[in-house]
Amino acid sequence: MVMVKVLFDIRPSLVALPFHRALTRPVVEIDGVERPAIWGTTEVSVEPGVHEVAVFFRYKGQRAARLGVNTEELTVRGGTGTQPRVTARLGPRNGSSFEIKTN
């Protein structure tokens, strides 16, 4: 099966950036499978088709928390020559969720 590389641009608000870089790690979940990510750009290979994508973060050392979680449906087309991109922005307040946009 042909895999398509999807770029995930994951960023906290500028106000909370130092806090999150020091103490948290983002996670991308595609169809129930978690993949570690970084603050910035993470590349994930997926099969063409429709996928359920979730983006959240955890404090370093945690294994089960899903903080700031939000989900979006992502349709990946094969052979288009265009690399799909998902943008996930975390709001500035404690308890904010990610805003996810797919294109």
Side-chain angles (χ1 to χ4, degrees), residues 17-24 60:
L17 179 64
F19 170 82
H20 282 288
R21 287 222 171 152
L23 300 174
T24 68
K60 291 180 181 178

Side-chain angles (χ1 to χ4, degrees), residues 3 10 17 33 51 53 57 67 87 97 99:
M3 300 295 277
I10 306 168
L17 179 64
V33 178
H51 302 278
V53 174
F57 72 91
L67 305 169
T87 304
S97 296
E99 179 181 325

Side-chain angles (χ1 to χ4, degrees), residues 2-6 46-51 74-84:
V2 175
M3 300 295 277
V4 177
K5 292 180 181 178
V6 179
V46 299
E47 294 179 354
V50 178
H51 302 278
L74 172 65
T75 301
V76 177
R77 299 184 191 336
T80 63
T82 302
Q83 193 166 30

Side-chain angles (χ1 to χ4, degrees), residues 10-81:
I10 306 168
R11 302 194 189 272
S13 70
L14 288 176
V15 173
L17 179 64
F19 170 82
H20 282 288
R21 287 222 171 152
L23 300 174
T24 68
R25 293 275 185 237
V27 178
V28 172
E29 183 182 87
I30 301 173
D31 299 328
V33 178
E34 291 184 8
R35 293 167 171 88
I38 60 169
W39 294 110
T41 303
T42 298
E43 189 175 277
V44 179
S45 293
V46 299
E47 294 179 354
V50 178
H51 302 278
E52 184 72 21
V53 174
V55 179
F56 55 93
F57 72 91
R58 291 185 173 128
Y59 288 100
K60 291 180 181 178
Q62 283 186 332
R63 297 179 195 255
R66 295 170 54 96
L67 305 169
V69 67
N70 202 354
T71 61
E72 184 74 28
E73 188 174 273
L74 172 65
T75 301
V76 177
R77 299 184 191 336
T80 63

